[in-house]
PDB file of all heavy atoms in Angstrom:
ATOM      1  N   THR A  42      -8.953 -14.697  27.618  1.00  0.00           N
ATOM      2  CA  THR A  42      -8.180 -15.827  27.114  1.00  0.00           C
ATOM      3  C   THR A  42      -8.737 -17.078  27.780  1.00  0.00           C
ATOM      4  O   THR A  42      -8.985 -17.057  28.990  1.00  0.00           O
ATOM      5  CB  THR A  42      -6.684 -15.680  27.488  1.00  0.00           C
ATOM      6  OG1 THR A  42      -6.183 -14.488  26.915  1.00  0.00           O
ATOM      7  CG2 THR A  42      -5.869 -16.864  27.015  1.00  0.00           C
ATOM      8  N   PRO A  43      -8.951 -18.143  27.038  1.00  0.00           N
ATOM      9  CA  PRO A  43      -9.440 -19.374  27.680  1.00  0.00           C
ATOM     10  C   PRO A  43      -8.526 -19.787  28.842  1.00  0.00           C
ATOM     11  O   PRO A  43      -7.296 -19.763  28.723  1.00  0.00           O
ATOM     12  CB  PRO A  43      -9.397 -20.409  26.546  1.00  0.00           C
ATOM     13  CG  PRO A  43      -9.437 -19.611  25.295  1.00  0.00           C
ATOM     14  CD  PRO A  43      -8.740 -18.317  25.609  1.00  0.00           C
ATOM     15  N   GLN A  44      -9.119 -20.134  29.940  1.00  0.00           N
ATOM     16  CA  GLN A  44      -8.352 -20.504  31.126  1.00  0.00           C
ATOM     17  C   GLN A  44      -7.911 -21.966  31.119  1.00  0.00           C
ATOM     18  O   GLN A  44      -7.050 -22.355  31.892  1.00  0.00           O
ATOM     19  CB  GLN A  44      -9.180 -20.221  32.389  1.00  0.00           C
ATOM     20  CG  GLN A  44      -9.525 -18.754  32.549  1.00  0.00           C
ATOM     21  CD  GLN A  44      -8.287 -17.876  32.649  1.00  0.00           C
ATOM     22  OE1 GLN A  44      -7.389 -18.146  33.440  1.00  0.00           O
ATOM     23  NE2 GLN A  44      -8.232 -16.824  31.842  1.00  0.00           N
ATOM     24  N   ASN A  45      -8.505 -22.750  30.231  1.00  0.00           N
ATOM     25  CA  ASN A  45      -8.229 -24.189  30.244  1.00  0.00           C
ATOM     26  C   ASN A  45      -7.160 -24.610  29.228  1.00  0.00           C
ATOM     27  O   ASN A  45      -7.124 -25.769  28.835  1.00  0.00           O
ATOM     28  CB  ASN A  45      -9.529 -24.965  30.008  1.00  0.00           C
ATOM     29  CG  ASN A  45     -10.153 -24.626  28.657  1.00  0.00           C
ATOM     30  OD1 ASN A  45      -9.805 -23.631  28.040  1.00  0.00           O
ATOM     31  ND2 ASN A  45     -11.087 -25.459  28.227  1.00  0.00           N
ATOM     32  N   ILE A  46      -6.288 -23.699  28.817  1.00  0.00           N
ATOM     33  CA  ILE A  46      -5.230 -24.095  27.883  1.00  0.00           C
ATOM     34  C   ILE A  46      -3.985 -24.477  28.666  1.00  0.00           C
ATOM     35  O   ILE A  46      -3.687 -23.892  29.712  1.00  0.00           O
ATOM     36  CB  ILE A  46      -4.928 -22.996  26.831  1.00  0.00           C
ATOM     37  CG1 ILE A  46      -4.447 -21.708  27.474  1.00  0.00           C
ATOM     38  CG2 ILE A  46      -6.153 -22.727  25.971  1.00  0.00           C
ATOM     39  CD1 ILE A  46      -4.013 -20.654  26.464  1.00  0.00           C
ATOM     40  N   ASN A  47      -3.284 -25.479  28.160  1.00  0.00           N
ATOM     41  CA  ASN A  47      -2.088 -25.949  28.848  1.00  0.00           C
ATOM     42  C   ASN A  47      -0.886 -25.076  28.463  1.00  0.00           C
ATOM     43  O   ASN A  47      -0.979 -24.243  27.562  1.00  0.00           O
ATOM     44  CB  ASN A  47      -1.847 -27.439  28.571  1.00  0.00           C
ATOM     45  CG  ASN A  47      -1.546 -27.723  27.105  1.00  0.00           C
ATOM     46  OD1 ASN A  47      -0.807 -26.993  26.443  1.00  0.00           O
ATOM     47  ND2 ASN A  47      -2.118 -28.803  26.592  1.00  0.00           N
ATOM     48  N   PRO A  48       0.251 -25.250  29.142  1.00  0.00           N
ATOM     49  CA  PRO A  48       1.420 -24.406  28.858  1.00  0.00           C
ATOM     50  C   PRO A  48       1.901 -24.469  27.397  1.00  0.00           C
ATOM     51  O   PRO A  48       2.326 -23.448  26.852  1.00  0.00           O
ATOM     52  CB  PRO A  48       2.493 -24.940  29.810  1.00  0.00           C
ATOM     53  CG  PRO A  48       1.717 -25.512  30.955  1.00  0.00           C
ATOM     54  CD  PRO A  48       0.470 -26.093  30.328  1.00  0.00           C
ATOM     55  N   GLN A  49       1.818 -25.638  26.773  1.00  0.00           N
ATOM     56  CA  GLN A  49       2.231 -25.734  25.363  1.00  0.00           C
ATOM     57  C   GLN A  49       1.297 -24.931  24.461  1.00  0.00           C
ATOM     58  O   GLN A  49       1.736 -24.271  23.527  1.00  0.00           O
ATOM     59  CB  GLN A  49       2.277 -27.199  24.881  1.00  0.00           C
ATOM     60  CG  GLN A  49       3.364 -28.019  25.516  1.00  0.00           C
ATOM     61  CD  GLN A  49       2.856 -28.761  26.756  1.00  0.00           C
ATOM     62  OE1 GLN A  49       1.755 -28.549  27.243  1.00  0.00           O
ATOM     63  NE2 GLN A  49       3.700 -29.621  27.281  1.00  0.00           N
ATOM     64  N   GLN A  50      -0.003 -24.993  24.755  1.00  0.00           N
ATOM     65  CA  GLN A  50      -0.968 -24.228  23.977  1.00  0.00           C
ATOM     66  C   GLN A  50      -0.758 -22.724  24.186  1.00  0.00           C
ATOM     67  O   GLN A  50      -0.856 -21.935  23.245  1.00  0.00           O
ATOM     68  CB  GLN A  50      -2.402 -24.624  24.349  1.00  0.00           C
ATOM     69  CG  GLN A  50      -2.776 -26.017  23.915  1.00  0.00           C
ATOM     70  CD  GLN A  50      -4.092 -26.476  24.525  1.00  0.00           C
ATOM     71  OE1 GLN A  50      -4.396 -26.184  25.688  1.00  0.00           O
ATOM     72  NE2 GLN A  50      -4.883 -27.194  23.732  1.00  0.00           N
ATOM     73  N   ARG A  51      -0.447 -22.341  25.416  1.00  0.00           N
ATOM     74  CA  ARG A  51      -0.186 -20.925  25.714  1.00  0.00           C
ATOM     75  C   ARG A  51       1.059 -20.450  24.967  1.00  0.00           C
ATOM     76  O   ARG A  51       1.070 -19.349  24.404  1.00  0.00           O
ATOM     77  CB  ARG A  51      -0.028 -20.701  27.223  1.00  0.00           C
ATOM     78  CG  ARG A  51       0.253 -19.279  27.613  1.00  0.00           C
ATOM     79  CD  ARG A  51      -0.869 -18.354  27.172  1.00  0.00           C
ATOM     80  NE  ARG A  51      -0.405 -16.978  27.142  1.00  0.00           N
ATOM     81  CZ  ARG A  51      -1.198 -15.942  27.243  1.00  0.00           C
ATOM     82  NH1 ARG A  51      -2.492 -16.082  27.396  1.00  0.00           N
ATOM     83  NH2 ARG A  51      -0.713 -14.736  27.180  1.00  0.00           N
ATOM     84  N   ALA A  52       2.085 -21.269  24.957  1.00  0.00           N
ATOM     85  CA  ALA A  52       3.309 -20.903  24.239  1.00  0.00           C
ATOM     86  C   ALA A  52       3.041 -20.780  22.744  1.00  0.00           C
ATOM     87  O   ALA A  52       3.550 -19.858  22.084  1.00  0.00           O
ATOM     88  CB  ALA A  52       4.409 -21.935  24.505  1.00  0.00           C
ATOM     89  N   ALA A  53       2.235 -21.692  22.202  1.00  0.00           N
ATOM     90  CA  ALA A  53       1.895 -21.634  20.777  1.00  0.00           C
ATOM     91  C   ALA A  53       1.075 -20.378  20.478  1.00  0.00           C
ATOM     92  O   ALA A  53       1.294 -19.717  19.454  1.00  0.00           O
ATOM     93  CB  ALA A  53       1.122 -22.882  20.365  1.00  0.00           C
ATOM     94  N   LEU A  54       0.136 -20.033  21.351  1.00  0.00           N
ATOM     95  CA  LEU A  54      -0.665 -18.821  21.186  1.00  0.00           C
ATOM     96  C   LEU A  54       0.236 -17.585  21.204  1.00  0.00           C
ATOM     97  O   LEU A  54       0.132 -16.722  20.336  1.00  0.00           O
ATOM     98  CB  LEU A  54      -1.725 -18.725  22.283  1.00  0.00           C
ATOM     99  CG  LEU A  54      -2.586 -17.467  22.313  1.00  0.00           C
ATOM    100  CD1 LEU A  54      -3.468 -17.392  21.065  1.00  0.00           C
ATOM    101  CD2 LEU A  54      -3.432 -17.423  23.576  1.00  0.00           C
ATOM    102  N   ASP A  55       1.125 -17.527  22.193  1.00  0.00           N
ATOM    103  CA  ASP A  55       2.054 -16.390  22.287  1.00  0.00           C
ATOM    104  C   ASP A  55       2.878 -16.243  21.015  1.00  0.00           C
ATOM    105  O   ASP A  55       2.975 -15.155  20.444  1.00  0.00           O
ATOM    106  CB  ASP A  55       3.008 -16.568  23.472  1.00  0.00           C
ATOM    107  CG  ASP A  55       2.347 -16.364  24.816  1.00  0.00           C
ATOM    108  OD1 ASP A  55       1.132 -16.116  24.866  1.00  0.00           O
ATOM    109  OD2 ASP A  55       3.069 -16.438  25.828  1.00  0.00           O
ATOM    110  N   HIS A 110      -4.817 -11.115  24.964  1.00  0.00           N
ATOM    111  CA  HIS A 110      -4.129 -12.296  25.486  1.00  0.00           C
ATOM    112  C   HIS A 110      -2.846 -11.949  26.229  1.00  0.00           C
ATOM    113  O   HIS A 110      -2.080 -12.847  26.605  1.00  0.00           O
ATOM    114  CB  HIS A 110      -3.857 -13.282  24.347  1.00  0.00           C
ATOM    115  CG  HIS A 110      -5.113 -13.784  23.717  1.00  0.00           C
ATOM    116  ND1 HIS A 110      -5.997 -14.622  24.348  1.00  0.00           N
ATOM    117  CD2 HIS A 110      -5.660 -13.537  22.498  1.00  0.00           C
ATOM    118  CE1 HIS A 110      -7.025 -14.880  23.555  1.00  0.00           C
ATOM    119  NE2 HIS A 110      -6.844 -14.230  22.426  1.00  0.00           N
TER     120      HIS A 110
END
Side-chain angles (χ1 to χ4, degrees):
T42 300
Q44 298 300 310
N45 61 344
I46 61 174
N47 65 42
Q49 292 93 351
Q50 291 169 322
R51 180 60 199 204
L54 176 66
D55 287 2
H110 298 291

